[in-house]
Amino acid sequence: MRGAVAGMALVLTACASGNDRATFPDLSFENLETVALGASSVTLTFASAPSRQPPHVEHMSPVSFCDVVSAWSNRRFAANGVGNTRVVVTLELGTITERALDVDDGVRGMLKREQATEYEARVKVAVRALGPDGQQRAEAVAEAWQRRTLGENATLADRQTLLFEMVEATVMAMDAQLMPEMRQRFADYVL
């Protein structure tokens, strides 16, 4: 009887964890104004591939920095197709790392819920105007980061929600830093 109860608990746990995944909206950045640039094109490049080695956990996020920065760049910048200057948007860095926090063991630990994991998200984006000779004519760079913690009783859905929110928030913080730089350094290219 005890084995049947344990087996039923395993089945229920497996079913519950399978439905524990959250769903997330597409990040379209429709609320952001498009910056028209006097350039032949705007392209996106990625400086490096995301790591899958600990403490990196960006592969566990329901959205990747590559996809989010791509959507952001497509919404944020538009080239007028004139001239021989091209604009290159580069995702220099897009990482999420995970660190276990110390929690109380024993009876004291059972009596309270503690923050057990700390996540840090970082994003760095560079926008460069390049002439026909490949020489850089303008550059704006911004980097944003944030840390958040998750409780020891957090579910997979809780973690996915946290990572989704961190990716979105760091990209928006990067955007807030980058746009004043763009207005200043890209004055000759912003229409």
Side-chain angles (χ1 to χ4, degrees):
M1 180 68 171
R2 196 180 282 169
V5 172
M8 185 64 126
L10 282 173
V11 169
L12 290 175
T13 301
C15 292
S17 64
N19 294 328
D20 198 25
R21 294 188 161 275
T23 57
F24 301 94
D26 290 332
L27 295 173
S28 65
F29 300 100
E30 290 298 317
N31 60 319
L32 298 179
E33 179 183 337
T34 300
V35 177
L37 298 168
S40 60
S41 64
V42 176
T43 58
L44 178 66
T45 63
F46 304 99
S48 63
S51 175
R52 288 184 164 261
Q53 299 300 316
H56 291 272
V57 294
E58 48 266 24
H59 59 281
M60 294 180 181
S61 175
V63 292
S64 73
F65 275 112
C66 294
D67 291 342
V68 173
V69 169
S70 179
W72 167 83
S73 176
N74 287 336
R75 173 61 183 170
R76 203 44 144 149
F77 304 112
N80 68 354
V82 177
N84 52 17
T85 299
R86 60 189 174 93
V87 173
V88 178
V89 179
T90 304
L91 175 60
E92 303 274 343
L93 178 70
T95 63
I96 304 171
T97 55
E98 178 183 68
R99 182 174 69 92
L101 301 174
D102 292 332
V103 293
D104 286 338
D105 292 332
V107 176
R108 282 181 46 134
M110 291 173 51
L111 298 175
K112 59 184 175 179
R113 296 284 182 233
E114 296 181 273
Q115 296 300 300
T117 311
E118 179 183 76
Y119 294 93
E120 180 178 280
R122 288 188 175 272
V123 65
K124 181 179 180 182
V125 171
V127 181
R128 297 177 180 94
L130 304 176
D133 56 359
Q135 290 296 315
Q136 181 174 297
R137 297 196 172 161
E139 178 185 50
V141 179
E143 183 173 3
W145 63 273
Q146 66 173 265
R147 287 188 184 124
R148 294 191 189 176
T149 58
L150 202 55
E152 60 188 339
N153 59 339
T155 65
L156 174 61
D158 294 335
R159 181 175 69 175
Q160 288 184 319
T161 299
L162 179 84
L163 297 178
F164 177 88
E165 290 172 354
M166 290 181 76
V167 169
E168 180 182 28
T170 52
V171 170
M172 291 305 295
M174 176 277 301
D175 177 81
Q177 290 178 22
L178 185 69
M179 294 323 292
E181 289 284 317
M182 287 291 296
R183 283 189 216 53
Q184 179 184 3
R185 299 179 190 273
F186 278 70
D188 293 342
Y189 302 100
V190 175
L191 302 176

